[in-house]
Amino acid sequence: TQLLEQSPQFLSIQEGENLTVYCNSSSVFSSLQWYRQEPGEGPVLLVTVVTGGEVKKLKRLTFQFGDARKDSSLHITAAQPGDTGLYLCAGGKGNEKLTFGTGTRLTIIP
Amino acid sequence: DVKVTQSSRYLVKRTGEKVFLECVQDMDHENMFWYRQDPGLGLRLIYFSYDVKMKEKGDIPEGYSVSREKKERFSLILESASTNQTSMYLCASRTGFTQPQHFGDGTRLSIL
């Protein structure tokens, strides 16, 4: 059973546009992490959010954890080709394991 | 920087072979993980280890085993490889429960 659903699965937009990707679950998580994976490499952590309603910004990327800690979003402003990659959310429940989402493959067209 | 090294980037094996995937981390991390990554399914946890000689089943352990004889090394073993084990395998490590996982670059395994 996949506990974290990401949408859209694929997204292709022009450079300079804004976009939002979503990570949804029916389960409550104590923390939510976002990773980006580029071709031929392993995922790299972008951010961790731990409080319901929390918003974190990383340059042009804005991450939000839902109030009920069941969902999260990633918003990118003025997308650039360097943002291209596979974005993965991962939920933690304060114990040993992370549950990874299904992934959103983002392509930014120059 | 944390370095997680997987022994092979690409590997081709035959059905029924015993396959070993090796992972080494250089930051004295307690926890290590093995995932497989398939399109549309994200990362699925196969096995993980809290410490030397300790191992726990993940979500999809069937057909796999692991070994952790030294803290820095975590090995994934396919006892008798099958074609449905063709996948990208990722190893990760972290220092503690609330810390981020650091990933290797993956091993793309093909079973013919």
Side-chain angles (χ1 to χ4, degrees):
Chain A
T1 301
Q2 185 60 261
L3 297 180
L4 277 169
E5 295 288 339
Q6 290 185 238
S7 61
Q9 187 175 355
F10 300 95
L11 183 59
S12 182
I13 64 170
Q14 295 287 337
E15 181 177 359
E17 293 184 357
N18 302 332
L19 66 106
T20 302
V21 299
Y22 300 93
C23 173
N24 293 296
S25 174
S26 57
S27 298
V28 176
F29 292 100
S30 57
S31 67
L32 201 294
Q33 298 178 354
W34 283 92
Y35 291 79
R36 179 170 65 208
Q37 184 179 18
E38 300 186 17
E41 299 181 8
V44 175
L45 180 72
L46 296 173
V47 76
T48 301
V49 286
V50 298
T51 305
E54 181 177 1
V55 176
K56 279 192 174 179
K57 292 192 174 184
L58 186 67
K59 297 183 180 178
R60 294 174 294 99
L61 279 61
T62 301
F63 304 86
Q64 183 164 8
F65 201 10
D67 291 341
R69 291 184 286 129
K70 293 183 178 181
D71 55 84
S72 181
S73 63
L74 158 59
H75 181 79
I76 301 178
T77 303
Q80 298 179 1
D83 296 326
T84 292
L86 177 67
Y87 287 81
L88 294 161
C89 62
K93 294 191 175 185
N95 57 11
E96 63 278 8
K97 297 192 298 182
L98 285 178
T99 299
F100 278 84
T102 49
T104 293
R105 188 165 297 280
L106 175 64
T107 303
I108 308 301
I109 304 165
Chain B
D1 274 356
V2 176
K3 185 69 174 177
V4 179
T5 303
Q6 295 185 228
S7 54
S8 303
R9 294 298 299 269
Y10 301 93
L11 204 55
V12 179
K13 296 291 182 180
R14 297 212 171 270
T15 303
E17 282 192 65
K18 190 169 186 176
V19 180
F20 294 85
L21 302 183
E22 306 288 344
C23 175
V24 177
Q25 50 94 3
D26 66 357
M27 286 300 291
D28 201 37
H29 283 174
E30 301 288 336
N31 306 158
M32 296 188 75
F33 305 82
W34 274 107
Y35 295 90
R36 65 177 282 175
Q37 183 175 27
D38 300 288
L41 297 178
L43 274 66
R44 293 181 291 167
L45 182 63
I46 305 171
Y47 267 96
F48 61 103
S49 169
Y50 291 132
D51 205 342
V52 178
K53 297 191 185 295
M54 295 180 67
K55 59 184 179 183
E56 297 285 341
K57 291 180 179 180
D59 299 316
I60 52 164
E62 296 78 19
Y64 304 94
S65 63
V66 290
S67 173
R68 194 165 180 204
E69 297 296 318
K70 293 185 177 182
K71 192 173 187 179
E72 67 271 18
R73 185 180 297 271
F74 194 33
S75 302
L76 179 69
I77 303 155
L78 284 67
E79 297 291 344
S80 178
S82 63
T83 54
N84 63 11
Q85 292 178 310
T86 291
S87 187
M88 170 69 82
Y89 289 86
L90 288 163
C91 174
S93 72
R94 70 179 180 193
T95 189
F97 285 167
T98 61
Q99 300 305 307
Q101 295 190 14
H102 298 267
F103 286 85
D105 287 337
T107 295
R108 188 166 292 282
L109 175 65
S110 296
I111 306 297
L112 304 179

